[in-house]
Amino acid sequence: MEAKFQEQLTNADAKVILDTLPKRIQEALIARANEIEYPIEAVIEMAIASFLDTEALGFADCKPGRGQ
């Protein structure tokens, strides 16, 4: 089976990721998504990308090591 490349997380991907995180982190991500009125998958993507690159808005912008 060939892997399919995607530019963005899907809602299903976000659910899988959320389900593996501690409850307090799940709640914080969901609260942030509600606060800024963004889909949860976009908030998760931004959180991971900003961890890797402080200048990134999402995975497409991410260049690890640039923002440090």
Side-chain angles (χ1 to χ4, degrees):
M1 182 173 166
E2 188 176 322
K4 183 179 163 189
F5 178 75
Q6 308 175 177
E7 284 289 326
Q8 299 172 326
L9 291 176
T10 65
N11 188 269
D13 295 333
K15 174 125 179 65
V16 170
I17 292 168
L18 277 177
D19 288 346
T20 63
L21 295 171
K23 189 75 170 160
R24 64 184 169 78
I25 296 174
Q26 290 177 24
E27 291 170 353
L29 288 168
I30 292 167
R32 181 67 175 153
N34 290 332
E35 178 185 327
I36 64 172
E37 298 178 349
Y38 269 50
I40 189 63
E41 56 269 23
V43 173
I44 292 170
E45 180 181 322
M46 287 186 291
I48 295 169
S50 69
F51 174 77
L52 297 172
D53 177 356
T54 58
E55 297 176 16
L57 296 175
F59 288 147
D61 302 319
C62 189
K63 295 180 176 69
R66 173 182 66 181
Q68 297 172 12

